[in-house]
Amino acid sequence: MNLLESCLLLVLVRGFCFAKTSIRVAHYGEDVSTSINWNVLYENIGKDFDLLPPETRIINKRDFLSTTRMLYDSMSQDGKLVAVLGTASVIASSNLESVCSHLCLPYVTVKKRSKNLHSSTFSLYPDSGLLSKAQATIIKSFDWDGFILLYEEDDGLLNLQEVLKLQNYNKDKPKNNILIKQLDPGWDNREVLKSLKNSTIRRIILDCNVERISEILMQAEEVDILSDFSTSIFLTSLDAHTIDFTFLNTLSNITTIRLFNPNEPSFQYRVLAYYPDITPNQIKLETALLHDAMLLIAMLINTVNGDIINQKNYCNSTKKFDQSLELAHKIRISIHDGLTGSQIDLHSGRRNRFNLEIIEVNKPHKPIATWNSKFPDTINLKRNATEREAELQRRLSSHNFIVTSRIGGPYLYQSKEPDAIGNARYYGYSMDLLKEIAILMNISYEFRITEGNLYPNLASDLVERRADLAICDFTITPQRQEIIDFSMPFMNLGIGILHKVSDEIEVDNLYGFLKPLSWAVWFYIWTLNLIISLVMFFVARLAPGEWKSPKPWDPNVKELENIWDIKNFLWLTLGSITTQGCDILPKAPSTRIISAFWWFFSLIISSSYIANMAAFLTMSKNVETIDNVEELGKQSKVKYGLVEGASTAAFFSTSNNSLYQKMWNNMKNEKPSVFEKDNANGVERVLSTKNSLYAFFMESTGIEYELERKCNLRKIGNLLDSKSYGIGMPMNADYRDSINAAVLTLQENGRLGELKEKWWKLERHGNPCPPVVQPSDALSLGNVGGVFIVLVVGIAFAYCLAALQFLWNVRRVSVEEKIPYAETLKAELRFACNIFLKKKAVKSNKSEKSSPN
Ligand code: GLU
């Protein structure tokens, strides 16, 4: 007896012994490729049933009529069909399901369902409403401000309704950006991905068939989206865990969800038993669901279909719904030891009890969190804070941070070493600050200078992901905060006004009173004064009108007298030029003519001097009296400017203050432009503009730095606002918290202060300035001090002359009276010091008595 004959005999014997009910299960699908292991059904079906070989029918999505006929034929063939297993899509199976419902035939499907189910349909695929809720909860837990939803089919978008509602979720944030884009049906999605690159959002939800995921990610890598540390991708496919992602070279965070854990021993055991050709982590969701569908069908047949079969109420039944099946639909039915859960509950035919695991694709062994349908609004984190930090640290350490910056002291200088490479090409405050942060965060970095060394390009570098950090005098502004993130501030400042100390008073000049006339003019005036005196002396000796009688009342006087000697003329010319006049005046016409011309000359010179002096003082006053921004705004003589396209310009252009608006309009319309490319150019312009006619709006930190080095600069008035510098980062960068923690540490341990001291004061590249003397409006000692000095010198000179005359007189008396010189000196000194003696005896006065002859 061969094997076949023995099997037949066994079946016959069994058939006689136990009257088994023959039953059949049909599989309706759109293709034959579905791998179903019917053994699961055979092994779980009750002993009372004899399962006939299952039939597989391929249905056409568009041909409802033939699908219906196929089912009726199958039913009427032998009346043994007890359940239908459906793997067709919703559209293709809708007709089938309604017929099954009409015939009270259980229809078990493994496809995603969104609509209401027929009364005899049982779906093992997680309920789409709940699944959408789960995805929304998970995305909410990621704390994303915005995301891009890349979807493949409209159906997928419908299933993500809850996720789309997240737009209204975060009420305290100005806006939660959600960008929705459909994937190209073709294989090339590079264009779509490139368009994402230009957006500030780097959180992507990819909703597509598992077969397309690898190809799309590869294209994302090609267009440089995945090179970005801050990019996060969430894959909605429940099969994404079956992909081997090692082909991707990325630091981006890719997460997905799965319905079962392929690493669980019980799962692996069942897979080994029923699907030995597939490794557990390659088991697709559909395979697992089909496995569980077998269990469900077996359970339905064992418990419910017995009744149906006994009642024989198939096509010809007048009853619409079988009581038992209806009941099964209403109560919660559970299957045990499925591949997609140890206990699978179905209520109203839906699978609305299930768990999800959230995994990072590069670490699939350990889920980062789980979601449970019992608490749909929460997720349970599976990694504690330390583990999460360790994971982030691992990612940070393996990334070389690109730091965008700009050259500008004291933040960053270009090294003078011609052979310097890498970061050694630069040094300065920013470099030191990042060095400290890098030590704290254990990261490596590379400085790059932004294009054109321009401030606006720093933000673009971050938005377009050319850099991970931006560090320099990078001001935190509301406009920038819309497109990038900032660390907590590392320096506080405000807008100030930089101006040059007036040229006229820039040096504290004691001889300022000489300034109205040039040195040549002074020389000519005094030389002329001497020459005129000499000329007049000779003219006066010749002029008869200048010879007068010493005793006009005495007609017998023998001699005439001429009062004009050189001394008197010098006195006269000096009295004229200083507009003081003189006690003696010339009498002769010739000397009077010369005097008249000299007076005219003196008039012109002294008026010019006074006018020039007044002009000098007025000009100093004009510039010096700009003491605040209001005064600067009111006048038009001194122009003012700022760095073009940077935060100070943004402050003025967006200000509601009428003064600042007016100043901004003035600045915009000024020709030539008052804007500068950077602070260094602004400072240079302030210094080089004559008569201090240019002021520059600059941040106080920069002003502080310049005042330390350029002594003829000053700061005008108070600060216009108050803001800070921060380290720029792409929006929602994963390392934001780590950078903040590092900045905080540096602030707390005083390192920030030390660095500022180092680069502002110690590393000065020059000599310190003396303390700035604030000039005042009044004529200061600085201006008139020289006059005092002249007076003191004059007094000293006169005193010396008097002393010499005194000594000469002592000598004359000692010779005439024949008394020793020392004794005479003692007696004369005693007499001079005795201030109460008013009379002096005439000792000898030959000289006084002698005639001019
Ligand atoms: N620190 C400014 C910025 O970040 C540039 C200088 C300025 O605007 O005064 O834009």
Side-chain angles (χ1 to χ4, degrees), residues 406 455-456 458 472-477 480 493 495 642-650 679 696-699 723 725:
R406 54 180 303 285
Y455 286 99
L458 295 168
C472 64
D473 49 338
F474 198 32
T475 313
I476 304 174
T477 65
R480 286 177 181 159
L493 60 129
I495 299 174
L642 39 78
V643 174
E644 192 168 19
S647 64
T648 306
N679 284 336
F696 188 62
F697 287 107
M698 191 169 161
E699 285 162 335
K723 48 198 178 188
Y725 292 148

Short mmCIF file of all heavy atoms in Angstrom, two decimals, residues 406 455-456 458 472-477 480 493 495 642-650 679 696-699 723 725, ligand 1:
data_model
loop_
_atom_site.label_atom_id
_atom_site.label_comp_id
_atom_site.label_asym_id
_atom_site.label_seq_id
_atom_site.Cartn_x
_atom_site.Cartn_y
_atom_site.Cartn_z
N ARG A 406 32.16 85.67 10.59
CA ARG A 406 32.67 86.72 9.71
C ARG A 406 33.88 87.38 10.38
O ARG A 406 34.01 87.38 11.60
CB ARG A 406 31.61 87.76 9.38
CG ARG A 406 30.91 88.38 10.57
CD ARG A 406 29.90 89.38 10.12
NE ARG A 406 30.50 90.41 9.29
CZ ARG A 406 31.25 91.41 9.77
NH1 ARG A 406 31.48 91.51 11.06
NH2 ARG A 406 31.76 92.30 8.95
N TYR A 455 26.67 90.18 7.17
CA TYR A 455 25.79 89.69 8.24
C TYR A 455 24.58 88.90 7.71
O TYR A 455 24.27 87.84 8.23
CB TYR A 455 25.30 90.85 9.10
CG TYR A 455 26.35 91.41 10.01
CD1 TYR A 455 27.05 92.56 9.66
CD2 TYR A 455 26.64 90.79 11.21
CE1 TYR A 455 28.02 93.07 10.50
CE2 TYR A 455 27.61 91.31 12.06
CZ TYR A 455 28.30 92.45 11.70
OH TYR A 455 29.26 92.95 12.53
N PRO A 456 23.87 89.41 6.68
CA PRO A 456 22.66 88.69 6.25
C PRO A 456 22.95 87.26 5.80
O PRO A 456 22.10 86.38 5.91
CB PRO A 456 22.13 89.52 5.08
CG PRO A 456 22.75 90.85 5.24
CD PRO A 456 24.06 90.65 5.93
N LEU A 458 24.84 85.12 7.18
CA LEU A 458 24.98 84.18 8.30
C LEU A 458 23.69 83.41 8.48
O LEU A 458 23.69 82.18 8.62
CB LEU A 458 25.30 84.94 9.58
CG LEU A 458 26.65 85.67 9.63
CD1 LEU A 458 26.70 86.60 10.81
CD2 LEU A 458 27.79 84.67 9.71
N CYS A 472 29.38 85.11 16.04
CA CYS A 472 30.08 86.39 15.89
C CYS A 472 29.26 87.40 16.67
O CYS A 472 28.54 87.01 17.59
CB CYS A 472 30.21 86.79 14.41
SG CYS A 472 28.66 87.08 13.60
N ASP A 473 29.30 88.67 16.28
CA ASP A 473 28.43 89.65 16.93
C ASP A 473 27.06 89.53 16.25
O ASP A 473 26.62 90.42 15.54
CB ASP A 473 29.00 91.07 16.82
CG ASP A 473 29.42 91.42 15.41
OD1 ASP A 473 29.66 90.50 14.62
OD2 ASP A 473 29.49 92.62 15.08
N PHE A 474 26.42 88.41 16.50
CA PHE A 474 25.20 88.03 15.78
C PHE A 474 24.01 88.36 16.70
O PHE A 474 23.74 87.66 17.68
CB PHE A 474 25.27 86.53 15.48
CG PHE A 474 24.33 86.07 14.41
CD1 PHE A 474 23.97 86.89 13.36
CD2 PHE A 474 23.82 84.78 14.45
CE1 PHE A 474 23.12 86.46 12.38
CE2 PHE A 474 22.97 84.33 13.46
CZ PHE A 474 22.63 85.17 12.43
N THR A 475 23.31 89.42 16.35
CA THR A 475 22.27 89.93 17.23
C THR A 475 20.99 89.10 17.12
O THR A 475 20.57 88.73 16.03
CB THR A 475 21.96 91.39 16.85
OG1 THR A 475 23.20 92.07 16.72
CG2 THR A 475 21.11 92.07 17.89
N ILE A 476 20.39 88.85 18.27
CA ILE A 476 19.10 88.14 18.31
C ILE A 476 18.02 89.15 17.93
O ILE A 476 17.81 90.13 18.64
CB ILE A 476 18.83 87.57 19.71
CG1 ILE A 476 19.99 86.67 20.14
CG2 ILE A 476 17.51 86.84 19.77
CD1 ILE A 476 19.91 86.15 21.56
N THR A 477 17.36 88.92 16.81
CA THR A 477 16.29 89.85 16.39
C THR A 477 15.02 89.04 16.10
O THR A 477 15.11 87.86 15.75
CB THR A 477 16.67 90.60 15.10
OG1 THR A 477 16.77 89.66 14.03
CG2 THR A 477 17.96 91.35 15.23
N ARG A 480 15.03 87.46 12.64
CA ARG A 480 15.86 86.26 12.49
C ARG A 480 15.25 85.07 13.22
O ARG A 480 15.39 83.94 12.78
CB ARG A 480 17.26 86.55 13.03
CG ARG A 480 18.06 87.43 12.10
CD ARG A 480 19.39 87.76 12.69
NE ARG A 480 20.13 88.64 11.79
CZ ARG A 480 21.13 89.40 12.16
NH1 ARG A 480 21.54 89.39 13.41
NH2 ARG A 480 21.75 90.16 11.30
N LEU A 493 23.82 94.13 24.96
CA LEU A 493 24.24 95.37 24.32
C LEU A 493 23.04 96.21 23.93
O LEU A 493 21.90 95.84 24.22
CB LEU A 493 25.04 95.04 23.06
CG LEU A 493 24.22 94.23 22.04
CD1 LEU A 493 24.30 94.88 20.70
CD2 LEU A 493 24.69 92.81 22.01
N ILE A 495 21.99 99.72 20.90
CA ILE A 495 22.51 100.56 19.82
C ILE A 495 22.97 101.90 20.41
O ILE A 495 22.23 102.54 21.16
CB ILE A 495 21.44 100.82 18.74
CG1 ILE A 495 20.99 99.50 18.12
CG2 ILE A 495 21.94 101.77 17.67
CD1 ILE A 495 19.84 99.63 17.16
N LEU A 642 24.75 103.59 9.26
CA LEU A 642 24.82 102.32 10.00
C LEU A 642 25.23 101.19 9.06
O LEU A 642 25.39 101.42 7.86
CB LEU A 642 23.48 102.01 10.66
CG LEU A 642 22.19 102.32 9.89
CD1 LEU A 642 21.92 101.28 8.86
CD2 LEU A 642 21.04 102.41 10.85
N VAL A 643 25.36 99.98 9.61
CA VAL A 643 25.72 98.82 8.77
C VAL A 643 24.49 98.41 7.96
O VAL A 643 23.40 98.24 8.51
CB VAL A 643 26.20 97.63 9.63
CG1 VAL A 643 26.42 96.40 8.78
CG2 VAL A 643 27.46 97.99 10.36
N GLU A 644 24.68 98.26 6.68
CA GLU A 644 23.58 97.95 5.77
C GLU A 644 23.10 96.50 5.96
O GLU A 644 23.91 95.58 6.11
CB GLU A 644 24.09 98.12 4.34
CG GLU A 644 23.00 98.11 3.32
CD GLU A 644 23.53 98.57 1.98
OE1 GLU A 644 24.75 98.53 1.77
OE2 GLU A 644 22.69 98.94 1.14
N GLY A 645 21.79 96.33 6.00
CA GLY A 645 21.19 94.99 6.00
C GLY A 645 21.37 94.20 7.28
O GLY A 645 21.16 92.99 7.29
N ALA A 646 21.78 94.85 8.34
CA ALA A 646 22.00 94.12 9.59
C ALA A 646 20.96 94.53 10.64
O ALA A 646 19.97 95.18 10.31
CB ALA A 646 23.42 94.34 10.08
N SER A 647 21.21 94.14 11.88
CA SER A 647 20.16 94.31 12.90
C SER A 647 19.87 95.77 13.24
O SER A 647 18.73 96.12 13.53
CB SER A 647 20.55 93.54 14.16
OG SER A 647 21.70 94.10 14.70
N THR A 648 20.90 96.64 13.20
CA THR A 648 20.64 98.05 13.51
C THR A 648 19.74 98.66 12.44
O THR A 648 18.83 99.43 12.75
CB THR A 648 21.98 98.82 13.63
OG1 THR A 648 22.78 98.11 14.58
CG2 THR A 648 21.79 100.22 14.11
N ALA A 649 19.99 98.28 11.19
CA ALA A 649 19.13 98.77 10.10
C ALA A 649 17.71 98.26 10.31
O ALA A 649 16.74 99.00 10.13
CB ALA A 649 19.68 98.30 8.78
N ALA A 650 17.59 97.00 10.74
CA ALA A 650 16.25 96.43 10.97
C ALA A 650 15.55 97.17 12.10
O ALA A 650 14.34 97.40 12.06
CB ALA A 650 16.38 94.95 11.30
N ASN A 679 31.14 97.37 10.57
CA ASN A 679 31.51 98.33 11.60
C ASN A 679 32.87 98.97 11.33
O ASN A 679 33.05 100.17 11.55
CB ASN A 679 31.57 97.64 12.97
CG ASN A 679 30.18 97.40 13.51
OD1 ASN A 679 29.24 98.08 13.13
ND2 ASN A 679 30.04 96.41 14.37
N PHE A 696 27.96 107.38 13.50
CA PHE A 696 27.68 106.00 13.08
C PHE A 696 26.92 105.26 14.18
O PHE A 696 27.38 105.21 15.33
CB PHE A 696 29.01 105.31 12.79
CG PHE A 696 28.89 103.96 12.15
CD1 PHE A 696 28.29 103.81 10.91
CD2 PHE A 696 29.37 102.83 12.79
CE1 PHE A 696 28.18 102.57 10.31
CE2 PHE A 696 29.27 101.58 12.21
CZ PHE A 696 28.67 101.45 10.96
N PHE A 697 25.76 104.72 13.84
CA PHE A 697 25.00 103.91 14.79
C PHE A 697 25.67 102.54 14.89
O PHE A 697 25.80 101.85 13.89
CB PHE A 697 23.55 103.74 14.34
CG PHE A 697 22.74 104.97 14.49
CD1 PHE A 697 22.37 105.73 13.39
CD2 PHE A 697 22.34 105.40 15.75
CE1 PHE A 697 21.63 106.88 13.53
CE2 PHE A 697 21.60 106.55 15.91
CZ PHE A 697 21.24 107.30 14.80
N MET A 698 26.05 102.21 16.08
CA MET A 698 26.84 100.98 16.26
C MET A 698 26.46 100.34 17.59
O MET A 698 26.04 101.04 18.52
CB MET A 698 28.31 101.40 16.26
CG MET A 698 29.28 100.30 16.18
SD MET A 698 30.90 101.07 15.87
CE MET A 698 31.94 99.73 16.35
N GLU A 699 26.64 99.05 17.66
CA GLU A 699 26.27 98.37 18.91
C GLU A 699 27.28 98.70 20.01
O GLU A 699 28.47 98.84 19.74
CB GLU A 699 26.17 96.88 18.66
CG GLU A 699 24.88 96.59 17.91
CD GLU A 699 24.85 95.26 17.22
OE1 GLU A 699 25.91 94.72 16.90
OE2 GLU A 699 23.74 94.74 17.00
N LYS A 723 19.45 94.60 23.65
CA LYS A 723 19.35 93.29 23.01
C LYS A 723 20.58 92.45 23.33
O LYS A 723 21.38 92.85 24.18
CB LYS A 723 19.16 93.44 21.51
CG LYS A 723 20.12 94.38 20.84
CD LYS A 723 19.56 94.78 19.49
CE LYS A 723 20.45 95.77 18.80
NZ LYS A 723 19.83 96.29 17.60
N TYR A 725 23.56 89.20 21.92
CA TYR A 725 24.14 88.33 20.89
C TYR A 725 23.87 86.89 21.32
O TYR A 725 23.92 86.57 22.50
CB TYR A 725 25.65 88.50 20.81
CG TYR A 725 26.13 89.83 20.28
CD1 TYR A 725 27.33 90.37 20.73
CD2 TYR A 725 25.40 90.52 19.33
CE1 TYR A 725 27.78 91.60 20.25
CE2 TYR A 725 25.85 91.74 18.84
CZ TYR A 725 27.04 92.27 19.32
OH TYR A 725 27.49 93.47 18.85
N1 GLU B 1 25.45 92.74 15.10
C1 GLU B 1 24.65 93.17 13.99
C2 GLU B 1 23.92 91.99 13.40
O1 GLU B 1 24.01 90.94 13.92
C3 GLU B 1 25.47 93.85 12.93
C4 GLU B 1 25.93 95.23 13.28
C5 GLU B 1 24.83 96.26 13.33
O2 GLU B 1 23.76 96.08 12.73
O3 GLU B 1 25.07 97.28 13.96
O4 GLU B 1 23.25 92.13 12.43
#
